[in-house]
Amino acid sequence: MITADFLMKEETIVTIGDYSLKCPEGKRSFYAFVTFDDFSTVHWTNIIASNRSCALKQILERFADCSEFIHSISLHESED
């Protein structure tokens, strides 16, 4: 018998980002999905950084207050 306790909760996704930012020459644009222990996800768009490590550093700084609840970080470079 399947009960409600065994069913996965519906995932919640929130998007944050400043779309007015333009990527300066020499920089790259990234986006990330940060998933937390409660299966909620933050989609952070338009992260401007010189490389992948700098983008990850920005993500870790942004979510420093709740870092113990982070389940995974998925970082991607924008195709633009």
Side-chain angles (χ1 to χ4, degrees):
M1 175 183 222
I2 298 175
T3 64
D5 295 337
F6 297 114
L7 296 177
M8 187 68 101
K9 291 183 180 179
E10 193 172 317
E11 191 174 20
T12 304
I13 297 178
V14 175
T15 301
I16 59 173
D18 186 355
Y19 293 104
S20 66
L21 292 176
K22 300 292 182 210
C23 189
E25 194 167 323
K27 299 283 185 173
R28 295 160 47 190
S29 179
F30 297 89
Y31 63 96
F33 293 95
V34 181
T35 305
F36 296 92
D37 289 339
D38 66 351
F39 297 105
S40 61
T41 301
V42 174
H43 175 215
W44 186 11
T45 62
N46 212 13
I47 304 168
I48 307 299
S50 56
N51 58 41
R52 218 175 156 74
S53 297
C54 291
L56 181 59
K57 181 181 176 189
Q58 289 181 35
I59 294 166
L60 294 175
E61 287 173 352
R62 169 71 61 108
F63 296 104
D65 293 344
C66 52
S67 61
E68 65 269 13
F69 303 111
I70 293 177
H71 181 266
S72 66
I73 298 173
S74 179
L75 178 62
H76 308 274
E77 186 168 357
S78 297
E79 297 293 322
D80 301 7

